[in-house]
Amino acid sequence: MNRPEPEADFGRMAYNFSIVGVQKSGTSTLSGTISQHRLVCRPPRKEAHFFNNEDYDWAHPDYERDYTAPRRAKIHTMVGDSTPVYLFWPNALERMRAYNPDLPLIAVFRDPIERLFSHWTMLRTRHPDWPDWPVFLTEFRPTSLPTSVPTDVKPMRYKHMSGIARGYYGAQLQHGFSVFSREQWLLLEFRQMLAAFNPSVDRATDHLGLPRFEEHPPLRNRYAGASVVTGTAPTASDLASLASLYAADMAVFDQLSGLDTSDWPTTRILAGTLDPGELAARLATKVTPIPG
């Protein structure tokens, strides 16, 4: 009987780049593509969720034991952690700086209202008993970026209920630029990234110091959510209220990021060029009313 040859042991690699945000903005698509580069090792899982682990002993971290990945080939020089909660999670970036102050970082941003709706539909797809849209909007509705994890809820619950808070991109970038130098960041915009995907991948590999793909992998929409979920659709009033909530932070984000957000629904609602009811009608096509 022929036994399969054991896999070669090429040792372990320290993670040396990170895609830190934001959730539901194409981070899986981007990380999956970068992981196909000949010099990049595919990690055991896309999201390590290491730096947002509140149960870890951060006073005595053992990175070699707890934050490495198996090298899959001798040629591999880089391996990345794509956990889109890091940019938002209190203290995560500080923990990353303590791990490696020279870490290159990538963040992809999406219109905050569209991102929030996608966040909710993902949760409803995975957990049909997850709070309906009206409850989701009110369960945790801070008026600014939280700076600490609430002590009265479990971290996993906080991770799921933090949808609105994750939309404060301006405050997240302010904090991010204070922890890591601006040169360490590559910022991408969701729609533009997908519309010009190969050039966006080139920007990412350039940022990581990798040679560009000789032949780009085909664009794949990884981990796409369900096309329709059961629940209560957003109303025009909901969306107008969210746009107002994000207005001041959006101004900070536009100044810091340099990204073009003029086509974002939130921007257009605030500018008066998009009726919130029009966006509500579009989002409602993805929601089936609860029976009875």
Side-chain angles (χ1 to χ4, degrees):
M1 179 177 177
N2 293 327
R3 297 181 180 273
E5 290 291 328
E7 292 187 7
D9 183 0
F10 299 110
R12 299 187 68 81
M13 303 178 63
Y15 285 92
N16 50 16
F17 74 90
S18 187
I19 300 177
V20 297
V22 299
Q23 185 190 41
K24 308 307 296 178
S25 298
T27 59
S28 296
T29 296
L30 181 62
S31 66
T33 300
I34 294 174
S35 290
Q36 296 179 63
H37 193 285
R38 62 186 179 85
L39 299 181
V40 177
C41 177
R42 178 172 54 83
R45 56 189 182 279
K46 177 226 172 194
E47 302 182 14
H49 282 287
F50 181 65
F51 295 108
N52 64 304
N53 183 354
E54 294 302 314
D55 295 324
Y56 192 74
D57 181 6
W58 291 109
H60 306 92
D62 187 340
Y63 301 125
E64 185 174 352
R65 182 192 66 190
D66 301 322
Y67 197 58
T68 58
R71 188 188 303 270
R72 299 177 185 273
K74 288 183 179 180
I75 197 173
H76 289 156
T77 61
M78 301 199 78
V79 61
D81 173 3
S82 180
T83 303
V85 74
Y86 287 161
L87 181 59
F88 158 78
W89 199 266
N91 299 314
L93 294 182
E94 285 82 356
R95 294 163 181 168
M96 296 173 76
R97 180 179 59 191
Y99 165 71
N100 180 357
D102 299 318
L103 202 65
L105 307 168
I106 300 174
V108 189
F109 295 93
R110 181 182 186 180
D111 174 78
I113 291 178
E114 289 186 329
R115 194 221 67 81
L116 178 65
F117 179 74
S118 183
H119 182 140
W120 174 72
T121 58
M122 175 191 70
L123 293 173
R124 291 286 284 186
T125 300
R126 296 178 180 178
H127 311 284
D129 59 344
W130 188 261
D132 198 5
W133 175 259
V135 178
F136 183 64
L137 286 187
T138 57
E139 184 177 25
F140 184 60
R141 192 183 176 97
T143 57
S144 61
L145 182 69
T147 57
S148 61
V149 178
T151 57
D152 57 343
V153 295
K154 293 182 178 181
M156 183 59 70
R157 177 71 179 180
Y158 178 61
K159 175 176 175 287
H160 291 320
M161 69 189 275
S162 59
I164 288 178
R166 296 191 194 208
Y168 292 115
Y169 301 152
Q172 290 175 59
L173 271 190
Q174 273 187 326
H175 176 238
F177 290 172
S178 73
V179 178
F180 288 98
S181 69
R182 178 64 181 86
E183 292 72 24
Q184 289 173 248
W185 293 87
L186 172 65
L187 309 182
L188 300 172
E189 194 281 324
F190 173 68
R191 295 184 182 187
Q192 296 164 17
M193 180 184 77
L194 297 183
F197 191 63
N198 289 351
S200 298
V201 171
D202 286 344
R203 291 183 63 196
T205 50
D206 289 351
H207 184 67
L208 299 177
L210 293 166
R212 294 183 175 185
F213 281 99
E214 295 179 5
E215 181 176 346
H216 292 84
L219 171 61
R220 290 180 54 195
N221 185 7
R222 298 170 185 267
Y223 305 110
S227 57
V228 178
V229 298
T230 300
T232 302
T235 66
S237 177
D238 293 338
L239 304 184
S241 177
L242 285 169
S244 296
L245 190 67
Y246 288 134
D249 184 85
M250 280 282 293
V252 174
F253 176 73
D254 286 344
Q255 181 181 18
L256 290 177
S257 71
L259 297 176
D260 181 5
T261 65
S262 59
D263 286 337
W264 282 10
T266 303
T267 302
R268 296 179 58 207
I269 289 173
L270 291 170
T273 59
L274 175 64
D275 185 337
E278 181 181 336
L279 178 59
R282 175 163 63 84
L283 299 182
T285 62
K286 301 182 180 182
V287 183
T288 300
I290 299 173

